Amino acid sequence: MKVISKNSSVLKSVFTTISAISIISSFSFVSIGCKNDGKGGSSSDSASSVSVRQLPDKSNDHYWYAFKNDSFVPVELPQKAPYQSDSPWTECMRIADSDTGLDGNGYFLVNRLGALVFEKKDTPTLIEDKMYLSKSTISNLIFSEGVPYFTLSKNIRFNKSLDEFSEAQDSEFLARPYLMRIDTKSRLLLPCVTYADLMIERGKEISGSYFNGVDWISLIRRIETTPFDEDFGNSNVEYKKWRANLSYSALSAAASEGKLSVETVTSDSYSASYRPYSFDTAPEGLRELLSPLPDSFSFSVVHRNAGGGSPKFFFRLGDGGSSDGTAITGETWNCAVFEDGTTYFAGAIEGRGLVNEGKTVAFRLPKLPKNFLYTNFCVSGDYLVVGWEECDDKEFFKIKRSGFLTVDMAKLFY
């Protein structure tokens, strides 16, 4: 895919992100390098035609948390969070994906840890499973019939535990779970689909998947191949489309016969799933939400429907500044958060009246230090919960510290 433009910064971000996503099986807003260098520069708040309220570093309407060991702890500020060892972003503890469910609760996937479920309050419930998550990358938070799922993979470039499978028995390799279910009632992470179910033999790894609400389309690579090879016609990669023959909630790793329909598809089917779309084709609610941004401002945004399948990627090119962000459309609201913390909201928080008569309001999250940026977010009841992380200033693919910020929007809006 080749696009020629006078201003290619956003397109570069779009295609770089899509490339990375296909490798680690995560179609979410991800950071491959820090853009926040502490020098200001172009941002979505400076380009906005609506007034943007700046939140202070500390206030009683928002609180900071950081990941430490196998849990999360409150911290005064991100820069005062406990240090973690530098690791590639597919291998470290960080927020890998997020969404709001049909139940109105917020969900975070935390790599190497588990799921954080915000049940309409500012402190989440942690559902973890070290057996499955300690050596795999978590990604692809999706919903089917209101139930949350995610996938597990091993990054071909960074994951050292891939070597273990070169000596593993076939049965051990094929028993590896790929699709997992988050069971909020039992507070367990349950395996649903394995490599054996998908008929993937040893020596291959699922590097990317997209769920359209019914079908999954997955990219499978040979482990010994170069992970950043983007030649979709390469004989070392294959593509499969698969779906559950029953309800996804009925799937169990214990039973395999007849539970899935699996077929081989072309590279075009997979690449079409990750296609970036012009912002002109975005849903009306999202276009109205970001209408305060002038046409000259370039941006890309990963958009989700709350409680839905994999997100879509939209971009717009202009001659001015640029930024990247994520957006979610809920039942009564639209919300978008850009990497510099500029947040746009339109609609009503669950159970409350319209904010600003339904017109877009904007505020900017506390300014982060150099090499820190905001990532994925969710809305849960009154609360906006936004991930943050610190990138290594020398090795851009490594993450130092990470955590999340909770913001009481009821205190801001009502």
Side-chain angles (χ1 to χ4, degrees):
M1 185 182 302
K2 185 176 181 181
V3 179
I4 301 174
S5 173
K6 214 166 44 168
N7 185 342
S8 62
S9 60
V10 171
L11 280 180
K12 181 179 179 182
S13 173
V14 169
F15 297 126
T16 301
T17 304
I18 291 175
S19 172
I21 286 165
S22 67
I23 294 165
I24 70 164
S25 184
S26 174
F27 195 77
S28 62
F29 175 55
V30 291
S31 166
I32 309 217
C34 280
K35 297 181 182 179
N36 181 8
D37 60 4
K39 298 179 182 179
S42 300
S43 64
S44 54
D45 65 338
S46 61
S48 177
S49 62
V50 298
S51 60
V52 180
R53 175 182 176 181
Q54 175 66 59
L55 301 188
D57 289 347
K58 303 176 185 179
S59 175
N60 64 359
D61 56 24
H62 60 266
Y63 296 94
W64 299 97
Y65 295 86
F67 295 117
K68 179 182 179 181
N69 299 327
D70 294 328
S71 188
F72 58 93
V73 296
V75 292
E76 187 177 1
L77 292 168
Q79 57 266 44
K80 296 186 178 181
Y83 278 95
Q84 303 291 308
S85 58
D86 291 7
S87 299
W89 57 303
T90 60
E91 312 307 303
C92 68
M93 191 179 299
R94 64 184 287 271
I95 295 170
D97 212 346
S98 64
D99 198 1
T100 298
L102 296 179
D103 54 9
N105 295 335
Y107 294 81
F108 273 174
L109 295 183
V110 184
N111 199 39
R112 300 307 173 95
L113 184 59
L116 294 179
V117 182
F118 293 84
E119 299 170 298
K120 301 178 185 178
K121 54 185 180 180
D122 59 346
T123 53
T125 298
L126 171 61
I127 304 176
E128 59 180 325
D129 193 315
K130 294 181 181 178
M131 180 175 70
Y132 290 121
L133 273 65
S134 63
K135 295 181 180 180
S136 296
T137 298
I138 190 172
S139 55
N140 285 323
L141 176 62
I142 61 92
F143 293 79
S144 178
E145 299 178 341
V147 179
Y149 299 83
F150 62 86
T151 61
L152 292 177
S153 60
K154 292 180 181 292
N155 183 271
I156 294 175
R157 180 174 183 178
F158 297 127
N159 195 309
K160 296 179 180 179
S161 67
L162 274 170
D163 296 336
E164 298 174 5
F165 290 106
S166 63
E167 300 177 358
Q169 298 295 320
D170 286 345
S171 58
E172 181 182 350
F173 174 83
L174 294 174
R176 282 181 56 198
Y178 181 64
L179 184 68
M180 302 281 292
R181 180 168 66 250
I182 302 173
D183 191 320
T184 55
K185 291 183 179 179
S186 66
R187 299 181 188 269
L188 293 173
L189 304 177
L190 305 174
C192 301
V193 173
T194 67
Y195 269 56
D197 296 327
L198 295 170
M199 297 179 284
I200 299 173
E201 62 266 28
R202 192 168 75 174
K204 294 182 178 181
E205 184 73 17
I206 302 175
S207 292
S209 287
Y210 188 93
F211 181 64
N212 64 14
V214 177
D215 295 316
W216 289 85
I217 298 181
S218 298
L219 180 154
I220 299 98
R221 294 178 183 270
R222 291 190 182 278
I223 291 175
E224 66 271 15
T225 59
T226 303
F228 293 102
D229 179 9
E230 291 305 316
D231 178 10
F232 287 103
N234 193 302
S235 60
N236 289 315
V237 298
E238 60 182 303
Y239 309 87
K240 290 188 176 184
K241 182 169 73 172
W242 51 281
R243 67 164 65 183
N245 290 330
L246 303 172
S247 168
Y248 277 94
S249 61
L251 296 181
S252 167
S256 59
E257 186 175 353
K259 75 181 189 182
L260 298 180
S261 294
V262 184
E263 63 178 294
T264 299
V265 294
T266 66
S267 60
D268 292 341
S269 300
Y270 182 81
S271 58
S273 300
Y274 287 97
R275 171 189 170 189
Y277 294 88
S278 167
F279 189 70
D280 292 338
T281 66
E284 181 180 2
L286 179 60
R287 285 185 281 116
E288 291 180 354
L289 175 72
L290 299 182
S291 60
L293 291 172
D295 293 341
S296 60
F297 189 78
S298 300
F299 63 87
S300 62
V301 61
V302 178
H303 175 252
R304 294 178 176 277
N305 288 309
S310 297
K312 288 188 176 181
F313 213 121
F314 297 98
F315 71 95
R316 188 175 73 189
L317 295 177
D319 297 325
S322 65
S323 189
D324 303 314
T326 54
I328 301 175
T329 295
E331 184 177 358
T332 60
W333 48 265
N334 280 276
C335 186
V337 178
F338 286 85
E339 61 187 359
D340 67 346
T342 306
T343 302
Y344 295 89
F345 184 92
I349 297 173
E350 182 180 349
R352 298 183 182 273
L354 278 175
V355 177
N356 193 31
E357 300 180 338
K359 300 176 183 177
T360 299
V361 294
F363 59 92
R364 190 167 187 261
L365 302 174
K367 186 175 177 59
L368 292 171
K370 179 181 178 180
N371 295 328
F372 286 74
L373 79 166
Y374 291 104
T375 59
N376 301 281
F377 80 93
C378 65
V379 173
S380 184
D382 290 344
Y383 297 95
L384 170 71
V385 190
V386 187
W388 61 264
E389 59 190 36
E390 178 189 16
C391 302
D392 190 294
D393 57 352
K394 294 181 180 179
E395 295 183 281
F396 69 92
F397 56 88
K398 290 187 175 182
I399 304 298
K400 290 184 175 180
R401 293 175 283 187
S402 63
F404 57 92
L405 171 71
T406 64
V407 180
D408 189 338
M409 293 191 294
K411 290 184 178 180
L412 294 181
F413 297 153
Y414 298 98

